Amino acid sequence: MDWKLEGDAQKTESLVLQGQEGVLEDTCEDGIFESFKLLQIDVDCKRGEGETLPTGSATWCSKNVQRKQRHWEKIVAAKKSKRKQEKERRKANRAENPGICTQHSKRFLRALTREKLLEAKHSGPRLCIDLSMTHHMSKKELSRLSGQIRRLYGSNKKADRPFWICLTGFTTDSPLYEECLRMNDGFSSYLLDITEEDCFSLFPLENIVYLTPDSEHALEDVDLNEVYILGGLVDESIQKKVTFQKAQEYSVKTARLPIQEYMVRRQNGKNYHSEILAINQVFDILSAYFETHNWPEALKKGVSLGKGYVLRNSVE
């Protein structure tokens, strides 16, 4: 009997002790929590007014980082305000001038250019660049020719009435092709024809007009039924009549730009005069004439003063 009472007393004492421990644990946890709250209040007080942590930051940042963050937020806010003002300005302009066409997006302009070029393939004038003579050219000359092709294509894209361009005698394993890929961004996606065939076997000979400065005949007009050939040749040694002799081999018509008919030699210190133009300069003249049907205006655009020629009516 005494043993049982003693055991019950021990159990009761154990339960009381467990309860006290639980109270102590809760008290400790609450104390620690209150301490952290006090620390947090203390840190917030030291941070000062107007100093905020960056968004998503879980730790306290230095004043330098906070200053940069505030500076960046000011820049973002200024850009947003500027965009909003620009949007309101355009809206006001459209309200005041309802008849003026709004500016088109770049995507729309690219689509329009693509449509014009594809239309020129079926109904526009045709221009071929004969690249069958490039195997004699140095790497420097190939680089210059590659740049001329890029500028020619760029001018054609901007034209209101573009030509359809064809690169003939052009192999994809040639040094010139590699140079075009290296120097011309997006060359592989140019909207033009590239073929290994020679221009003389690709088109009827009676429809070919080979443009060469050595021809006796001046070009009078751009005919949609003709195919105009430009010799893709950059020759720093200035070998004369190379393209003219090639045209004679196939008995095709030749023509030169009417520089002598509309321009005169201009006096200069070097006494230098030349009718030899880069292929992109020749194209600029052809394109300008096709749009304006005005040779003086077209020649003025393509023949630089460095060639030693000026228009007749500009001579004092």
Side-chain angles (χ1 to χ4, degrees), residues 268 272-278 281 302-309:
N268 56 72
Y272 174 78
H273 304 89
S274 175
E275 297 182 34
I276 299 175
L277 305 176
Q281 293 173 326
V303 181
S304 63
L305 293 176
K307 293 296 179 180
Y309 284 88

Side-chain angles (χ1 to χ4, degrees), residues 100-155:
I100 298 178
C101 183
T102 58
Q103 185 177 3
H104 297 299
S105 66
K106 291 183 178 180
R107 179 180 296 180
F108 176 83
L109 293 176
R110 285 196 297 267
L112 183 62
T113 299
R114 180 182 178 85
E115 183 180 347
K116 288 194 301 182
L117 289 174
L118 292 177
E119 183 180 352
K121 184 174 184 178
H122 303 288
S123 59
R126 292 168 292 176
L127 179 75
C128 290
I129 303 175
D130 180 10
L131 300 174
S132 61
M133 299 172 285
T134 58
H135 53 280
H136 294 303
M137 294 165 56
S138 65
K139 185 175 181 180
K140 181 180 178 181
E141 292 169 342
L142 292 175
S143 297
R144 289 180 58 190
L145 179 58
S146 174
Q148 293 175 16
I149 292 173
R150 180 185 67 249
R151 288 188 287 272
L152 186 153
Y153 182 74
S155 296

